[in-house]
Amino acid sequence: DAGVIQSPRHEVTEMGQEVTLRCKPISGHDYLFWYRQTMMRGLELLIYFNNNVPIDDSGMPEDRFSAKMPNASFSTLKIQPSEPRDSAVYFCASRGQIDNSPLHFGNGTRLTVT
Amino acid sequence: GNSVTQMEGPVTLSEEAFLTINCTYTATGYPSLFWYVQYPGEGLQLLLKATKADDKGSNKGFEATYRKETTSFHLEKGSVQVSDSAVYFCAQGSGGSTLGRLYFGRGTQLTVWP
């Protein structure tokens, strides 16, 4: 299996622009997670899905952030409009249904908003 | 609630030194416990796990024992190598209303010098 695939690897954009991050989970995994990592705040859970349904979005910082999972093999995280404080590495991760199954992370998208 | 506390870094060691990174958790019920490792420019990857009290997880010379009485899961390695330089995350996964998600510590940066 190719693992969790994220695109793009790097994104540089100007403040106010829309940014869309993409994720393809491992086939057969029922859970999908979006995390944000910064030096100041560490690893933060933004939102997670089970069987394509959002379970907990309490970590989404504000209405500028939205996430969708239209099918079992694809998810997007959108920021509109973007701000410099959104600069971070965004990770997607997936796992199977069994309670102690591990998370598998993608290599992340490094977002820079100028 | 559910949380993980791990020792603050950074940790700097000489090659072949003994490593301990402390981790304690609070959880409802009996969680599974994990250590993840993150190398530069990559996502987190599972290092080892333990699913019940007194279990010992081990991988690549690293070990951690699930201690229910002290709610701890300390990571140890008898002789570190330069290639072990990375950020290490402790995590726990509980069932119930939070089924599916993992709770991560802040991460501990390890640097090993030759």
Side-chain angles (χ1 to χ4, degrees), chain A residues 9 31 33 35 37-43 45 48 56 91 95 97 99-107, chain B residues 30 32 34 36 38 41-46 49 51 87 89 93-95 97-102 104-106:
Chain A
R9 283 302 308 270
Y31 287 94
F33 301 77
Y35 287 89
Q37 186 177 39
T38 60
M39 288 294 292
M40 290 295 294
R41 302 168 75 99
L43 193 66
L45 176 63
Y48 75 101
D56 184 353
F91 288 104
R95 66 181 291 193
Q97 189 70 26
D99 197 27
N100 60 14
S101 61
L103 274 177
H104 295 261
F105 282 77
N107 283 330
Chain B
Y30 303 99
S32 296
F34 306 84
Y36 283 79
Q38 183 180 28
E42 298 182 10
L44 283 69
Q45 52 187 276
L46 179 68
K49 71 176 184 180
T51 58
V87 182
F89 292 86
S94 297
S97 62
T98 61
L99 183 65
R101 69 167 294 179
L102 293 186
F104 285 90
R106 286 296 305 267

Side-chain angles (χ1 to χ4, degrees), chain B:
Chain B
N2 298 295
S3 66
V4 172
T5 303
Q6 63 181 102
M7 67 186 279
E8 296 273 336
V11 174
T12 303
L13 296 172
S14 297
E15 204 165 29
E16 299 183 4
F18 184 84
L19 169 71
T20 300
I21 301 177
N22 290 337
C23 171
T24 58
Y25 66 90
T26 59
T28 52
Y30 303 99
S32 296
L33 301 175
F34 306 84
W35 276 100
Y36 283 79
V37 58
Q38 183 180 28
Y39 299 103
E42 298 182 10
L44 283 69
Q45 52 187 276
L46 179 68
L47 179 60
L48 54 84
K49 71 176 184 180
T51 58
K52 61 183 188 295
D54 300 325
D55 267 2
K56 177 185 284 187
S58 61
N59 186 25
K60 300 181 182 179
F62 291 89
E63 294 182 339
T65 301
Y66 190 142
R67 300 288 188 201
K68 182 182 165 189
E69 63 276 11
T70 54
T71 62
S72 64
F73 193 54
H74 305 321
L75 182 68
E76 297 183 335
K77 186 174 186 181
S79 177
V80 294
Q81 306 299 311
V82 173
S83 58
D84 294 327
S85 298
V87 182
Y88 292 82
F89 292 86
C90 185
Q92 59 110 330
S94 297
S97 62
T98 61
L99 183 65
R101 69 167 294 179
L102 293 186
Y103 294 85
F104 285 90
R106 286 296 305 267
T108 302
Q109 171 78 55
L110 170 66
T111 302
V112 181
W113 296 100

Side-chain angles (χ1 to χ4, degrees), chain A residues 32-61:
Chain A
L32 183 139
F33 301 77
W34 283 100
Y35 287 89
R36 178 171 68 177
Q37 186 177 39
T38 60
M39 288 294 292
M40 290 295 294
R41 302 168 75 99
L43 193 66
E44 301 174 276
L45 176 63
L46 301 178
I47 185 172
Y48 75 101
F49 297 83
N50 182 24
N51 292 323
N52 313 337
V53 176
I55 302 301
D56 184 353
D57 66 353
S58 60
M60 297 285 261

